[in-house]
């Protein structure tokens, strides 16, 4: 069975702005979806969801049928409904993979999962970026060389205000003197989260073959990989596995 | 200058319930504060804060004058005001240490910092707990032996629904067959967070000398230790450190 | 193409001792290999290697054709040739997966990869072990329940003298009061390493279905997953990617 | 009591080469020791040790009286005696801090502690380096700004062939296009290890105030901080803490 991928994007700059529309005539999500299909082939079944659809296209049913969700947002983070954010959050804890892209660092869902501010330094000067592979064992790096370059990007610089990542996959070099942890993974509940830096809307980033390859690899990596049960809530376990020898009188009435 | 510690506790079971009052006549916070003073001595200046004080005793000024905050709550998590939670959260990101105790695993502030559900298995059967030191290099373990025991505790069992900790300091063994990561650290922004499991209100846990020692050690470990600047927000850095050679025309009008 | 697995075992207790022979008439390696085949099926092609074969069955060619190596040893750690250990070490750095089992914690190869003493507490009292799943997102846990039990095992207790693992998959509970990090992963170069605790020769551990399932899952997890280049040595990179603007006269003659 | 620091350096380039001698007339170790004293003051008592002293100046007694050892080596890694390396290794496991500097990445002791090849890319082109503070909570960053610069350095570029660090403190940017994890920590047994990249002998790196500050901070961070016992070897624990209910006949004669 293929990995069921939902590519979510706010579809805003790419609708309103002529210049962005020239790069992404059908929206950024269409190009991302193509990129994933190009490099993951039959391993995936990809659909898209945009902000202006009912429930942002992320209904209970869509999420129930999604193994991996990708998230791109920028100017409209504030328009994403809190109830949908909570729904996505719950699904991640239960095992859905989540790929957060570029300016998605400031999305409600990413901040909620990280527990931090998720800030960074930025600059739009169309500068060169070189992404170095830090962890060549990681499936997300499959097919890449020791580094790859993007000729013109928006700069993101440290400090990236996230918790220390579980795995550090890429570090970026920028022409103006900054560095950035551009590929990071974290586990949250049963779900795997990958943040990938490239993706500014005014540059044709999602047409780049290395970026597309990383998207496809990330989707495969983030797909649920274990059927082991996820513990939800704080269940009261009446029956211990082993007999509890030392009994102590507890006044149950005092609690809660 | 001593480390300024604020011991925060909901002061609820220990006010309402005769049995808990017998163990903690002046409230649990009073005993925790004593424990920290006993083992940290002149290194600390300790005050307390309880739920029913204005702003839960955690005013802007109190937090500004707090290096490390400890948090105990249980039945009244829902009564903690969201604005106060946000205030504490911001202070942690800026560098205040936070020690979360026992049932505080379900507090709003801990869940907000972790980004996960923070559930676990539990059972009240007054069973024996053995806490093993996993990381004997960690300052939080100073003065301890290879393990220490609590004769009667509430059981907390895995899965503990938190992100993988940055450091694992203790693992607990329980009579009924469960295990638990009882001492865990995470970094969030400039702030250090330590979760410590023991502490159920119906047992005299905070009178135990090893527990008190851990509290004191944790306070010393969590105190701010660097003056390096914390990046807040996502500042636009107009001037690169190095000249950006490759210029690309960017239409600034399209953004935001 | 199937994952090429080599099951390596010293084949010593299971040859010399009647009691162990009763449990493993064809050697422990035969039962481990069967277990991997049972749960990994066509995904693997398994062969075995034992200490008394020439080069311990781990020739250059065998290792070149091995994606994942499993290692069991106990009484004969000292008989393993250093040259073979170096060969296995190099292959791990280049990407071969390594599964180290039970008393293999004291093998030369594991100590060389860890950089620590790899000691632990132990006791043979045929006591009960309960293994708890700590990371239910991990592929190594696929098919398991929240925990599984072994009725009679040798106890291993903390401190386990290894570097903090990259991922903590299982924690064990023992009847006598100890706990142990029973499933741990580390990355070394391009290679993935998994340590799995169960496996004492005097108990039928490798006949247990959960143990066999973990072996099969671990092999699949540890198989090479990226073609990205591994940097070997410390190459002198004459040509920078970007022109180096600030030249400084360097007297090359002084070096080395 | 002050932290007892031993600054170890091979004292080779700085003895043989005129140019290096011009920068470090009394040897690099003398300048490092001064730097540590400058920023750590009364908190430290510093001595030095060089390769040509008996036992490289690292006798049993010197190590027994050393809380933190710093290590610089380059051309003479091969001349360091294995017995001394083993002695230092053992002391680290028991709790001595170790600061490894620059070309020390290829020292025997660092490779033994890491378990990996410890390679990297390098280039001598006197290029600019910018070190970014990644973890502003870390005591090693105390007194630093968001970044600091070195005008002329040897470049070290990724992949740095070390295990994923426990904490990532600095990332470097280089003029020629590379990046490097320039400040990394690992725990090994009870000992804390810090690798710090800057330090090439042909540049006056150890005269730089930020570098000196980092050395002093690192020494304070790496000093032993807990008296909790370190488990050595694999002791057989005859007496469990809890009675072992389920007895199983074990033939002790079969083992070892």
């Amino acid at each position: 069975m293929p990995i069921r991928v939902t590519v979510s994007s706010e579809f805003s700059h790419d609708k309103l702005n002529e210049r962005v529309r020239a790069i992404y005539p059908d929206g950024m999500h269409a190009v991302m979806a193509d990129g994933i299909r190009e490099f993951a082939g039959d391993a995936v079944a990809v659909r898209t969801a945009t902000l202006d659809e009912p429930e942002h296209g992320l209904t209970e049913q869509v999420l129930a049928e999604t193994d991996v969700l990708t998230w791109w947002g920028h100017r409209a983070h504030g328009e994403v409904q809190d109830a949908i954010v909570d729904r996505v959050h719950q699904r991640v804890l239960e095992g859905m993979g989540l790929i957060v892209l570029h300016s998605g660092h400031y999305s409600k869902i990413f901040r909620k999962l990280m527990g931090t501010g998720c800030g960074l330094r930025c600059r739009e000067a169309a500068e060169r970026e070189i992404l170095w592979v830090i962890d060549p064992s990681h499936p997300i790096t499959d097919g890449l060389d020791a580094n790859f370059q993007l000729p013109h990007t928006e700069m993101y610089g440290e400090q990236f205000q996230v918790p220390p990542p579980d795995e550090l996959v890429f570090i970026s070099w920028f022409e103006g003197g900054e560095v950035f942890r551009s590929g990071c993974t974290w586990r949250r509940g049963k779900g795997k989260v990958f943040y990938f830096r490239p993706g500014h809307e005014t540059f044709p980033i999602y047409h780049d073959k290395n970026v597309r390859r990383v998207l496809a690899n990330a989707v495969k990596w983030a797909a649920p990989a274990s059927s082991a049960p996820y513990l939800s809530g704080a269940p009261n376990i009446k029956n211990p596995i082993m007999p509890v020898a030392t009994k102590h009188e507890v006044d149950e009435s005092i609690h809660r």
Side-chain angles (χ1 to χ4, degrees), chain A residues 149-212:
Chain A
Q149 301 187 35
L150 296 169
H152 302 296
T153 61
E154 182 187 28
M155 183 282 291
Y156 277 10
E158 295 281 346
Q159 298 163 356
F160 186 18
Q161 290 295 5
V162 287
D166 298 343
E167 300 169 308
L168 179 55
V169 185
F170 301 113
I171 297 178
S172 286
W173 176 101
F174 291 95
E175 207 173 340
E178 283 86 0
V179 295
F180 196 74
R181 287 169 292 170
S182 281
C184 296
T185 80
W186 296 267
R187 180 168 70 82
R188 289 292 179 268
K190 275 197 75 168
K192 293 175 191 165
V193 179
F194 179 59
Y195 175 82
F196 187 47
R197 199 211 77 82
H200 200 58
E201 67 271 10
T202 56
F203 306 107
I205 303 291
Y206 295 115
H207 292 284
D208 179 272
K209 78 170 175 12
N210 287 307
V211 169
R212 292 159 80 93

Side-chain angles (χ1 to χ4, degrees), chain A residues 48-243:
Chain A
T48 62
T50 56
L51 188 67
D52 54 6
E53 294 177 39
E55 306 183 38
H56 314 323
L58 301 170
T59 61
E60 291 278 7
Q61 193 184 336
V62 166
L63 287 182
E65 294 167 353
T66 297
D67 297 312
V68 181
L69 178 68
T70 75
W71 194 278
W72 193 100
H74 186 187
R75 62 189 291 283
H77 289 319
E79 296 170 34
V80 178
Q81 298 167 46
D82 289 341
I84 306 298
V85 173
D86 290 348
R87 183 187 289 169
V88 171
H89 184 249
Q90 186 55 32
R91 278 287 294 136
V92 170
L93 299 183
E94 290 165 11
M96 182 180 72
L98 180 69
I99 316 293
V100 176
L101 297 165
H102 190 63
S103 42
H105 74 89
Y106 246 14
S107 62
K108 289 179 179 177
I109 181 62
F110 189 59
R111 295 172 79 159
K112 188 177 177 79
L113 283 162
M114 294 294 106
T116 56
C118 300
L120 44 77
R121 286 177 170 80
C122 62
R123 177 175 57 240
E124 278 197 76
E127 57 203 283
R128 178 177 298 271
E129 175 177 9
I130 307 172
L131 291 105
W132 288 91
V133 170
I134 302 304
D135 179 354
S137 79
H138 205 288
I140 287 180
T141 67
D142 190 38
L144 299 179
D145 208 335
N147 67 59
F148 68 94
Q149 301 187 35
L150 296 169
H152 302 296
T153 61
E154 182 187 28
M155 183 282 291
Y156 277 10
E158 295 281 346
Q159 298 163 356
F160 186 18
Q161 290 295 5
V162 287
D166 298 343
E167 300 169 308
L168 179 55
V169 185
F170 301 113
I171 297 178
S172 286
W173 176 101
F174 291 95
E175 207 173 340
E178 283 86 0
V179 295
F180 196 74
R181 287 169 292 170
S182 281
C184 296
T185 80
W186 296 267
R187 180 168 70 82
R188 289 292 179 268
K190 275 197 75 168
K192 293 175 191 165
V193 179
F194 179 59
Y195 175 82
F196 187 47
R197 199 211 77 82
H200 200 58
E201 67 271 10
T202 56
F203 306 107
I205 303 291
Y206 295 115
H207 292 284
D208 179 272
K209 78 170 175 12
N210 287 307
V211 169
R212 292 159 80 93
R213 191 186 287 274
V214 169
L215 290 185
N217 288 347
V219 158
K220 287 191 274 185
W221 167 80
S226 170
S227 65
Y230 162 76
L231 179 72
S232 185
N236 198 319
I237 309 298
K238 293 278 180 211
N239 298 313
I241 297 172
M242 301 294 289

Side-chain angles (χ1 to χ4, degrees), chain A residues 30-45:
Chain A
V31 176
M32 290 178 206
D34 277 353
I36 294 168
R37 285 186 201 106
E38 180 183 354
F39 284 95
D42 292 345
V44 292

